[in-house]
Each structure stands twice: as structure tokens, then as C-alpha cells.
Amino acid sequence: MLLTGRVLKWCCLINIVAFAWTNAAAQTKGKSGSAVTFKKTELTKRFIAEGAAMGDVNKDGKKDILSGAYWFEAPDWKEHELAKPQEFIVNGSYSDSFLDFAQDVNQDGWVDLIRIDWPGKAAAWHENPQNKPGHWPVHTIYSSVGNESPQLVDIDGDGRLDLLCNDPTGKKVIWLKCPSKKGETTWEKYVISNDPNNSTHMYTHGTGYGDINGDGRKDVLVRSGWWEGPAEGPAKYPKDKDWKFHPADLGQDCSQMYVLDLNGDGLNDVLSASAHNYGIWWHEQRKEGKETVWIHHEIDKTISQTHGLALKDMNGDGHPDFITGKRYFAHNGNDPGEFEPAFVSWFEYKPGKVPTWIRHDIDDNSGVGLHVTVEDLNGDGLPDIVTGNKKGVRIFTQLKGK
């Protein structure tokens, strides 16, 4: 039978897809590296937030935990209010703190709390009162912050972490520049896209910041494509002018997205995880002539609602692993797998032409919220994990190997 150009093209596409999903079965095979173990410490079992951050609140040299309306003082994790708390119901309601980040916003030498509320509502930062009693002063960052996975990343390279999100009221994709001078408190808005139909809904899932096209400049990505980082630099580009958008199929609704070359072919790929279903994937970038195509590979399909995803070298082998888990009862029992164990897991990355990951389960009765915070909490040089969700707030402290 003679194949027309159109039929031949479809046959090639079918072969590519078959190759991608055939390889998917091997994505979690391989030999494990050095053993990594953790100690779990429950700070509270109450539903107070779906995020948590680390920072030395009282300047005693020890990192504390901040989550919602509370901070927990190291080393005994005494609970302190930083705002007026509210009561939240596990099966039926949501909190007013979907993500929590720690940063010294006004550069007074004291770490503050950046608190992201319900998608579409105002985001705020709580000013550390420098060991004075009472609730912390609250400052609005922006009146309408959307996307369920906003990221705190350094957009303009000034060493300060900015907020990457959308504005569902103004129907724009934006970044908010963190105050850069001591004493300043205003976050400055810069537009990435004015297209009201592109990733501007308050419940948009998935965003990331990384160099997609290898030009040395970081780009902003969503699952429908990516905006090319301007040559002038994000802070020097006209504040209301669109970045150039490149449509691309970067997978399904997801949480945080990361850009890195996973198979060593010199082209950067994308890592993502399903927010409300099953699936963790890497999206392979390929060149076919002058065209760029994306091939989707499945890493895992056994944990649902992986609404928080962090990238970190967990075992010190120099390779970026990832940490995720179940956002417990994200939609009050209505999502796939909601009644299955609430895992927190890290996936050990094994580089190669066909990269593989080894899943290591840390815990099966906790899970994650809308993000995962991974930092060295106790100064021993090992990355630790903190998560907050409807099961409470807890720390996973990595133990030194014997």
C-alpha cells in the first residue's frame, strides 16, 4: 500500500507516541544510591494551612516553621500566633493560606511571612515585629493573585525573590517585583501577557520559570506554552508589553513546573505532576527540522493529587531529585484517589539517555499542600522537608547516615 504524506506523518507520530509511553514503564527502575532516612515531627494535626515555610523568626540562630496564622519556635516547636486564626473544616472547607513563603521583605534583618490566600484573592506579607508581642502587621502585596501554583522566584536576577502568578481580575499573567531597597514595602507589577484567554483564570494549574530555548535567559512556562524571556531583562522590558509567546503542549493540569535537561541531549525538558489526578511526567523537548515537539513520558501514576512539587538533591549525588506527595482531601473527597494513603515521597533521579527515577516513600499519613518546602532546617548540611495540609503541619528531618 502506498502511504501519502499525511498518512506517513501520522504513522510517524504514532510511533513516537508509542516509543514515549513504552519507555514510561522503565522510568522508575534502577539501583538506589545512598540511603536517606527521615524523622517525622508533628507540629500540629489541626488544619491551619496548605503551605509551610522555614525561617529564623526570633533571630536565635535556629530556623522556625511558619504556616498560616502561626509560627512554631525551634527547637521545641512552641506554637505562636502571628495573625488571628480561623477554624477550617477538613471535609468541606479551605483555609486562607494556600502557600506560605519566608523572606525578609523590607530588609530590616527579620524574616517575614508571605501568605498566598484563596486563588484570586489578595496576597499579603506579614511583617515580623522583631520579638515584640502581638499579631504581625499585614501588608497587601497585590489585590488579585491567581494560579494555584504561584512561584516565589528571582525573576530579574537581583537576588530577591519575586512572585510569579496571574491577575484573574485584570486577566493578565504577571510578575510582582519584590521591594529591592531597604525599607521599601511596595511590590511592583510587570506584565508578561495581556491575553485574557491565556492562563489567566484564578484556578489555572501549573507555572514555572526556566530557560526553555537555551538562549541563557529564563522563560515563563504554563502547560499551554511559554513566554520568551526578553533580551533586555524582565525589569528593563516595558512593564505593560507582552513577552513573546510560543504555544507548546506541556502536558496536563499540574502543580509547579521545572525546566532542566533530563536526558543529556542539550535540550531542556520540563518536569510536572498532576494537581488533581494521577500522573508525574517529564516532557522531552525534541527538534524535528526547525520545529520543536514535546514527547510526554510518565514517571509515576500511583500517587494522586501531587499538588506540590519541589526540586532538590536529596542524597548528595549532585543530581536534582524531586519531592512530592498527595494533597490530602484537596476537593473534599471528590478527586481520584482521595481516600488512598497520603504519601510524601522523593524520587531519586538517575541521569541517562533514558532517565529513570527511584521512588522512596517517606511517610504515608501526611502528604503535601499546594507546595513543598525543602531546605536545611537544622544546619547539618542535609535537606529537610516541611509540609502543611488538611492533616496538619509536620517536619521530616533527614538523618545523617551511619
Side-chain angles (χ1 to χ4, degrees):
M1 180 181 69
L2 293 176
L3 295 177
T4 65
R6 178 174 293 180
V7 173
L8 183 60
K9 181 178 180 180
W10 277 107
C11 287
C12 291
L13 286 173
I14 290 169
N15 285 334
I16 289 171
V17 172
F19 170 80
W21 290 105
T22 299
N23 279 338
Q27 297 299 305
T28 54
K29 293 182 179 179
K31 293 183 178 179
S32 178
S34 58
V36 176
T37 57
F38 295 86
K39 174 187 175 183
K40 179 181 179 181
T41 304
E42 297 271 9
L43 306 190
T44 180
K45 292 187 177 182
R46 306 188 327 275
F47 172 29
I48 63 171
E50 291 199 81
M54 303 182 193
D56 183 2
V57 171
N58 55 356
K59 296 188 75 169
D60 65 352
K62 302 179 182 69
K63 280 189 179 181
D64 310 296
I65 303 300
L66 304 92
S67 183
Y70 301 90
W71 69 277
F72 300 86
E73 182 180 354
D76 299 323
W77 311 115
K78 180 181 178 182
E79 182 181 294
H80 303 267
E81 287 185 11
L82 62 84
K84 183 179 179 180
Q86 298 184 39
E87 295 289 333
F88 306 114
I89 302 169
V90 171
N91 187 5
S93 75
Y94 297 90
S95 75
D96 57 2
S97 187
F98 277 57
L99 300 96
D100 294 306
F101 303 106
Q103 180 169 233
D104 180 4
V105 175
N106 57 353
Q107 300 186 76
D108 63 354
W110 296 78
V111 69
D112 307 303
L113 172 65
I114 296 168
R115 189 170 168 183
I116 310 299
D117 203 331
W118 183 284
K121 289 190 175 183
W125 66 278
H126 297 251
E127 183 179 354
N128 190 322
Q130 304 182 10
N131 284 336
K132 297 181 180 68
H135 292 161
W136 298 16
V138 183
H139 307 269
T140 298
I141 294 174
Y142 194 72
S143 60
S144 178
V145 170
N147 192 308
E148 291 199 20
S149 302
Q151 296 218 33
L152 197 69
V153 290
D154 184 2
I155 298 288
D156 57 352
D158 68 350
R160 305 279 288 156
L161 299 181
D162 311 298
L163 186 58
L164 175 62
C165 59
N166 71 25
D167 174 359
T169 301
K171 297 294 182 184
K172 302 174 188 294
V173 177
I174 62 173
W175 69 279
L176 300 167
K177 180 176 171 60
C178 181
S180 57
K181 294 181 180 179
K182 187 175 181 178
E184 287 185 343
T185 60
T186 301
W187 296 64
E188 196 172 1
K189 183 183 80 171
Y190 290 79
V191 171
I192 296 167
S193 171
N194 288 291
D195 182 351
N197 300 312
N198 192 352
S199 306
T200 62
H201 194 278
M202 67 181 73
Y203 301 133
T204 298
H205 284 83
T207 190
Y209 190 55
D211 184 5
I212 291 286
N213 60 350
D215 64 357
R217 302 191 299 269
K218 290 186 177 181
D219 313 300
V220 172
L221 59 150
V222 290
R223 69 182 192 88
S224 61
W226 54 282
W227 289 275
E228 185 175 341
E232 300 91 331
K236 295 181 180 179
Y237 195 69
K239 292 176 65 174
D240 295 314
K241 185 178 179 180
D242 287 48
W243 296 16
K244 183 179 179 181
F245 185 70
H246 300 264
D249 177 9
L250 297 179
Q252 302 176 31
D253 280 352
C254 59
S255 48
Q256 292 79 12
M257 305 171 75
Y258 296 96
V259 180
L260 64 167
D261 181 4
L262 289 167
N263 58 353
D265 65 354
L267 300 174
N268 279 340
D269 311 300
V270 174
L271 177 71
S272 69
S274 179
H276 292 288
N277 211 317
Y278 293 93
I280 304 171
W281 312 275
W282 72 281
H283 310 283
E284 180 186 358
Q285 183 177 178
R286 289 186 188 174
K287 297 294 184 183
E288 294 185 356
K290 294 183 179 180
E291 299 297 319
T292 299
V293 296
W294 295 89
I295 310 300
H296 311 301
H297 303 273
E298 190 172 71
I299 298 171
D300 185 271
K301 59 179 180 181
T302 61
I303 306 176
S304 72
Q305 304 173 93
T306 45
H307 213 304
L309 181 68
L311 200 66
K312 193 76 171 182
D313 178 6
M314 295 302 293
N315 58 354
D317 65 357
H319 302 308
D321 311 302
F322 68 84
I323 306 91
T324 189
K326 178 190 291 294
R327 181 188 170 195
Y328 176 70
F329 248 56
H331 283 160
N332 303 310
N334 295 307
D335 278 348
E338 288 234 53
F339 294 92
E340 294 172 356
F343 282 104
V344 174
S345 306
W346 73 279
F347 287 73
E348 183 179 355
Y349 170 52
K350 296 292 186 180
K353 291 183 179 180
V354 179
T356 59
W357 284 263
I358 303 167
R359 174 176 161 180
H360 302 270
D361 293 328
I362 300 170
D363 188 58
D364 65 358
N365 188 27
S366 52
V368 304
L370 275 80
H371 69 140
V372 183
T373 298
V374 185
E375 298 177 20
D376 180 5
L377 178 63
N378 55 8
D380 65 356
L382 300 175
D384 308 301
I385 301 167
V386 61
T387 65
N389 64 4
K390 289 186 173 184
K391 279 183 173 285
V393 181
R394 79 289 304 169
I395 300 164
F396 297 100
T397 307
Q398 188 174 159
L399 304 177
K400 281 187 175 292
K402 295 181 180 179

PDB file of all heavy atoms in Angstrom, residues 142-156:
ATOM      1  N   TYR A 142      -0.590  42.308  46.474  1.00  0.00           N
ATOM      2  CA  TYR A 142      -1.364  42.598  45.268  1.00  0.00           C
ATOM      3  C   TYR A 142      -2.794  42.143  45.518  1.00  0.00           C
ATOM      4  O   TYR A 142      -3.026  41.162  46.230  1.00  0.00           O
ATOM      5  CB  TYR A 142      -0.762  41.885  44.051  1.00  0.00           C
ATOM      6  CG  TYR A 142      -1.292  42.377  42.725  1.00  0.00           C
ATOM      7  CD1 TYR A 142      -0.929  43.629  42.233  1.00  0.00           C
ATOM      8  CD2 TYR A 142      -2.163  41.598  41.973  1.00  0.00           C
ATOM      9  CE1 TYR A 142      -1.423  44.085  41.017  1.00  0.00           C
ATOM     10  CE2 TYR A 142      -2.654  42.044  40.756  1.00  0.00           C
ATOM     11  CZ  TYR A 142      -2.282  43.297  40.289  1.00  0.00           C
ATOM     12  OH  TYR A 142      -2.772  43.757  39.094  1.00  0.00           O
ATOM     13  N   SER A 143      -3.740  42.830  44.915  1.00  0.00           N
ATOM     14  CA  SER A 143      -5.148  42.626  45.248  1.00  0.00           C
ATOM     15  C   SER A 143      -5.751  41.358  44.663  1.00  0.00           C
ATOM     16  O   SER A 143      -6.773  40.876  45.159  1.00  0.00           O
ATOM     17  CB  SER A 143      -5.968  43.832  44.778  1.00  0.00           C
ATOM     18  OG  SER A 143      -5.840  43.991  43.366  1.00  0.00           O
ATOM     19  N   SER A 144      -5.156  40.797  43.613  1.00  0.00           N
ATOM     20  CA  SER A 144      -5.752  39.639  42.949  1.00  0.00           C
ATOM     21  C   SER A 144      -4.649  38.729  42.422  1.00  0.00           C
ATOM     22  O   SER A 144      -4.103  38.964  41.340  1.00  0.00           O
ATOM     23  CB  SER A 144      -6.655  40.107  41.793  1.00  0.00           C
ATOM     24  OG  SER A 144      -7.207  39.010  41.098  1.00  0.00           O
ATOM     25  N   VAL A 145      -4.319  37.703  43.202  1.00  0.00           N
ATOM     26  CA  VAL A 145      -3.246  36.774  42.833  1.00  0.00           C
ATOM     27  C   VAL A 145      -3.853  35.414  42.519  1.00  0.00           C
ATOM     28  O   VAL A 145      -4.465  34.776  43.382  1.00  0.00           O
ATOM     29  CB  VAL A 145      -2.201  36.653  43.957  1.00  0.00           C
ATOM     30  CG1 VAL A 145      -1.236  35.506  43.682  1.00  0.00           C
ATOM     31  CG2 VAL A 145      -1.435  37.961  44.108  1.00  0.00           C
ATOM     32  N   GLY A 146      -3.705  34.979  41.270  1.00  0.00           N
ATOM     33  CA  GLY A 146      -4.252  33.711  40.832  1.00  0.00           C
ATOM     34  C   GLY A 146      -3.176  32.755  40.358  1.00  0.00           C
ATOM     35  O   GLY A 146      -1.983  33.053  40.398  1.00  0.00           O
ATOM     36  N   ASN A 147      -3.633  31.602  39.849  1.00  0.00           N
ATOM     37  CA  ASN A 147      -2.847  30.413  39.520  1.00  0.00           C
ATOM     38  C   ASN A 147      -2.655  29.641  40.818  1.00  0.00           C
ATOM     39  O   ASN A 147      -2.251  30.199  41.832  1.00  0.00           O
ATOM     40  CB  ASN A 147      -1.499  30.738  38.871  1.00  0.00           C
ATOM     41  CG  ASN A 147      -0.833  29.496  38.276  1.00  0.00           C
ATOM     42  OD1 ASN A 147      -0.668  28.481  38.944  1.00  0.00           O
ATOM     43  ND2 ASN A 147      -0.438  29.571  37.013  1.00  0.00           N
ATOM     44  N   GLU A 148      -2.946  28.339  40.787  1.00  0.00           N
ATOM     45  CA  GLU A 148      -2.868  27.541  42.005  1.00  0.00           C
ATOM     46  C   GLU A 148      -1.448  27.115  42.357  1.00  0.00           C
ATOM     47  O   GLU A 148      -1.231  26.490  43.395  1.00  0.00           O
ATOM     48  CB  GLU A 148      -3.784  26.319  41.887  1.00  0.00           C
ATOM     49  CG  GLU A 148      -5.255  26.696  41.897  1.00  0.00           C
ATOM     50  CD  GLU A 148      -6.171  25.539  42.250  1.00  0.00           C
ATOM     51  OE1 GLU A 148      -5.692  24.559  42.857  1.00  0.00           O
ATOM     52  OE2 GLU A 148      -7.363  25.611  41.916  1.00  0.00           O
ATOM     53  N   SER A 149      -0.489  27.464  41.496  1.00  0.00           N
ATOM     54  CA  SER A 149       0.908  27.162  41.800  1.00  0.00           C
ATOM     55  C   SER A 149       1.786  28.389  41.563  1.00  0.00           C
ATOM     56  O   SER A 149       2.781  28.324  40.828  1.00  0.00           O
ATOM     57  CB  SER A 149       1.404  25.989  40.949  1.00  0.00           C
ATOM     58  OG  SER A 149       0.618  24.844  41.156  1.00  0.00           O
ATOM     59  N   PRO A 150       1.445  29.525  42.167  1.00  0.00           N
ATOM     60  CA  PRO A 150       2.323  30.686  42.013  1.00  0.00           C
ATOM     61  C   PRO A 150       3.693  30.369  42.597  1.00  0.00           C
ATOM     62  O   PRO A 150       3.804  29.597  43.549  1.00  0.00           O
ATOM     63  CB  PRO A 150       1.606  31.776  42.809  1.00  0.00           C
ATOM     64  CG  PRO A 150       0.793  31.035  43.819  1.00  0.00           C
ATOM     65  CD  PRO A 150       0.363  29.771  43.133  1.00  0.00           C
ATOM     66  N   GLN A 151       4.720  30.949  42.020  1.00  0.00           N
ATOM     67  CA  GLN A 151       6.074  30.634  42.476  1.00  0.00           C
ATOM     68  C   GLN A 151       6.786  31.880  42.982  1.00  0.00           C
ATOM     69  O   GLN A 151       6.604  32.977  42.443  1.00  0.00           O
ATOM     70  CB  GLN A 151       6.876  30.000  41.339  1.00  0.00           C
ATOM     71  CG  GLN A 151       6.319  28.659  40.893  1.00  0.00           C
ATOM     72  CD  GLN A 151       7.411  27.665  40.549  1.00  0.00           C
ATOM     73  OE1 GLN A 151       8.488  27.664  41.137  1.00  0.00           O
ATOM     74  NE2 GLN A 151       7.138  26.811  39.590  1.00  0.00           N
ATOM     75  N   LEU A 152       7.585  31.705  44.016  1.00  0.00           N
ATOM     76  CA  LEU A 152       8.445  32.768  44.520  1.00  0.00           C
ATOM     77  C   LEU A 152       9.842  32.492  43.979  1.00  0.00           C
ATOM     78  O   LEU A 152      10.550  31.598  44.460  1.00  0.00           O
ATOM     79  CB  LEU A 152       8.436  32.787  46.049  1.00  0.00           C
ATOM     80  CG  LEU A 152       8.952  34.080  46.693  1.00  0.00           C
ATOM     81  CD1 LEU A 152       7.977  35.226  46.445  1.00  0.00           C
ATOM     82  CD2 LEU A 152       9.181  33.901  48.189  1.00  0.00           C
ATOM     83  N   VAL A 153      10.221  33.228  42.943  1.00  0.00           N
ATOM     84  CA  VAL A 153      11.485  33.011  42.238  1.00  0.00           C
ATOM     85  C   VAL A 153      12.109  34.365  41.905  1.00  0.00           C
ATOM     86  O   VAL A 153      11.417  35.375  41.816  1.00  0.00           O
ATOM     87  CB  VAL A 153      11.282  32.202  40.937  1.00  0.00           C
ATOM     88  CG1 VAL A 153      10.924  30.762  41.236  1.00  0.00           C
ATOM     89  CG2 VAL A 153      10.201  32.826  40.057  1.00  0.00           C
ATOM     90  N   ASP A 154      13.409  34.370  41.710  1.00  0.00           N
ATOM     91  CA  ASP A 154      14.108  35.602  41.345  1.00  0.00           C
ATOM     92  C   ASP A 154      13.959  35.811  39.842  1.00  0.00           C
ATOM     93  O   ASP A 154      14.699  35.244  39.047  1.00  0.00           O
ATOM     94  CB  ASP A 154      15.579  35.500  41.746  1.00  0.00           C
ATOM     95  CG  ASP A 154      16.350  36.789  41.483  1.00  0.00           C
ATOM     96  OD1 ASP A 154      15.730  37.773  41.028  1.00  0.00           O
ATOM     97  OD2 ASP A 154      17.570  36.806  41.728  1.00  0.00           O
ATOM     98  N   ILE A 155      13.009  36.647  39.446  1.00  0.00           N
ATOM     99  CA  ILE A 155      12.728  36.861  38.029  1.00  0.00           C
ATOM    100  C   ILE A 155      13.802  37.717  37.369  1.00  0.00           C
ATOM    101  O   ILE A 155      14.240  37.443  36.247  1.00  0.00           O
ATOM    102  CB  ILE A 155      11.343  37.524  37.842  1.00  0.00           C
ATOM    103  CG1 ILE A 155      10.221  36.611  38.370  1.00  0.00           C
ATOM    104  CG2 ILE A 155      11.103  37.882  36.378  1.00  0.00           C
ATOM    105  CD1 ILE A 155       9.942  35.408  37.524  1.00  0.00           C
ATOM    106  N   ASP A 156      14.243  38.774  38.037  1.00  0.00           N
ATOM    107  CA  ASP A 156      15.121  39.759  37.396  1.00  0.00           C
ATOM    108  C   ASP A 156      16.584  39.639  37.802  1.00  0.00           C
ATOM    109  O   ASP A 156      17.407  40.472  37.420  1.00  0.00           O
ATOM    110  CB  ASP A 156      14.622  41.177  37.676  1.00  0.00           C
ATOM    111  CG  ASP A 156      14.510  41.472  39.168  1.00  0.00           C
ATOM    112  OD1 ASP A 156      14.663  40.541  39.975  1.00  0.00           O
ATOM    113  OD2 ASP A 156      14.266  42.644  39.522  1.00  0.00           O
TER     114      ASP A 156
END
